Amino acid sequence: MRIAVYAFDGVTMFHLAVPQMVFDEVARQGLGDWTTTLFSDRPGAVRTAEGYQLAGIEGPDAAAGADVVVVPSWFDDGRVPSDALRAVLQDAHRQDVAILGLCLGAIAVADAGLLAGRRAVTHWQAFTALIERHPDILLDRSVLYIDHGDVMTSAGTASGLDACLHLVRTRLGADAANRVARSLVVAPHREGGQAQYIEHPVPQRSADDPIARLLEWTLGNLREPLTINQLSQRAHMSRRTFVRAFRAATGTTPAAWVRSRRLDAARRLLETTDLSIDQIAADCGFGNAVTLRQNFAAAFSTTPTDYRRRFDTRPSTPTLP
């Protein structure tokens, strides 16, 4: 897989290094034939925020044919991206190339029109400015990154590591991501708002928005059946209008969103409690352990028991000699 990373005058060394460190580690570990390339609006050199000059930067054409295009950060003043970068991002997106906007890099991705009407995240200091510039984007303060499959955005500086590890996980599996994380001495999953365990996946919408109120209610009532008819009635909408409004707000269907939230809840309980699989299935709305196991395996290619064994975060009990 070929990854093209955008470099620009004033980029910090850390932001620029994050995707290269993670993705190049895939190749170093022999997990896949992954390469990274730095490109900019024109070939030549860029000067980093630390004052270093990086030569050998390729032009926009270097992004052609890439499997992933990364904007690792952005200018602190939030300026509008160049026509060249917007063209790269839009052309790549049309060709089903994955786009990553890490930290403030989400600004450039938004300005390219790739986040309209969708959930996104960026550094908290840029939230107000980005909302004013793109009021149709649903910014979520509760997660470290958001992956729509075609476009991913991440929060502050270090969460770029989380987002890049997530890409490794989705392309090569959890074992590969864990190996990369161990080699870099970083956590494969981080507690507290980590995106794979989205705790409050509710768009930042007005308090009187019926979909926002419904999402909040749903998170507290996952044990309920939560059928489309039940949800549409609670939102006081016809079934057809509700499905359309729900997709506009979340980017997915009600059934898929509810299933993902139930799986998120199940993973949290597997990590942090000793509840039985049957109890977790009931608490999360799966009804029984068989249904939980089927959905869990389909989503994560593992069983709830194996997941608990790997990611149990409860403090271990000391063993007496």
Side-chain angles (χ1 to χ4, degrees):
M1 190 166 75
R2 185 166 174 265
I3 301 102
V5 182
Y6 183 72
F8 56 91
D9 285 325
V11 66
T12 67
M13 293 290 290
F14 182 87
H15 285 110
L16 197 58
V18 163
Q20 296 179 87
M21 286 296 297
V22 174
F23 300 142
D24 288 353
E25 190 63 24
V26 170
R28 286 189 287 268
Q29 293 287 326
L31 301 170
D33 184 13
W34 288 26
T35 59
T36 55
T37 301
L38 297 181
F39 76 97
S40 193
D41 293 343
R42 61 189 63 84
V46 299
R47 183 172 294 277
T48 71
E50 296 81 6
Y52 301 112
Q53 185 169 341
L54 301 180
I57 307 297
E58 300 189 44
D61 291 344
D67 301 288
V68 178
V69 174
V70 183
V71 183
S73 183
W74 197 239
F75 299 92
D76 290 340
D77 60 11
R79 68 189 65 176
V80 174
S82 64
D83 292 341
L85 178 58
R86 283 203 303 272
V88 166
L89 296 176
Q90 292 165 352
D91 290 346
H93 188 253
R94 280 193 291 268
Q95 297 171 33
D96 296 324
V97 172
I99 308 296
L100 273 63
L102 306 181
C103 195
L104 295 182
I107 295 174
V109 176
D111 285 347
L114 306 185
L115 292 173
R118 308 176 86 176
R119 291 174 59 245
V121 65
T122 188
H123 194 287
W124 63 269
Q125 291 178 324
F127 263 53
T128 300
L130 189 55
I131 289 174
E132 291 175 351
R133 195 139 122 197
H134 298 283
D136 58 338
I137 294 177
L138 312 173
L139 289 177
D140 192 336
R141 298 175 182 272
S142 67
V143 295
L144 293 181
Y145 58 86
I146 295 173
D147 183 10
H148 291 288
D150 57 334
V151 178
M152 190 191 319
T153 53
S154 75
T157 304
S159 63
L161 287 165
D162 300 289
C164 291
L165 283 170
H166 171 74
L167 182 69
V168 175
R169 188 179 304 112
T170 58
R171 299 298 178 98
L172 298 176
D175 288 342
N178 289 346
R179 285 181 58 181
V180 170
R182 281 196 301 270
S183 180
L184 298 179
V185 198
V186 296
H189 306 286
R190 282 204 292 161
E191 295 295 326
Q194 55 192 5
Q196 67 268 33
Y197 311 138
I198 297 174
E199 298 194 5
H200 302 287
V202 179
Q204 300 295 311
R205 299 163 72 92
S206 62
D208 60 351
D209 184 279
I211 297 298
R213 290 199 307 269
L214 177 71
L215 297 181
E216 290 282 8
W217 177 85
T218 301
L219 291 173
N221 293 273
L222 291 175
R223 291 177 64 102
E224 299 291 325
L226 302 179
T227 64
I228 291 180
N229 286 338
Q230 179 187 8
L231 294 174
S232 61
Q233 289 172 9
R234 188 167 188 88
H236 304 292
M237 296 179 181
S238 70
R239 180 186 175 105
R240 178 177 297 180
T241 300
F242 169 71
V243 171
R244 184 168 58 248
F246 195 97
R247 181 178 287 278
T250 66
T252 188
T253 65
W257 188 88
V258 168
R259 183 170 57 252
S260 293
R261 302 294 73 76
R262 284 173 166 159
L263 288 169
D264 289 339
R267 287 195 288 187
R268 285 194 295 272
L269 292 175
L270 289 167
E271 288 183 331
T272 61
T273 75
D274 58 0
L275 292 175
S276 69
I277 303 301
D278 286 307
Q279 185 61 58
I280 291 175
D283 288 347
C284 297
F286 287 107
N288 58 69
V290 173
T291 302
L292 170 59
R293 290 189 180 100
Q294 290 172 342
N295 281 273
F296 209 91
F300 310 121
S301 300
T302 189
T303 66
T305 300
D306 285 343
Y307 183 90
R308 168 175 272 167
R309 186 179 301 115
R310 177 174 297 177
F311 296 112
D312 190 341
T313 62
R314 292 171 295 162
S316 58
T317 302
T319 302
L320 296 177

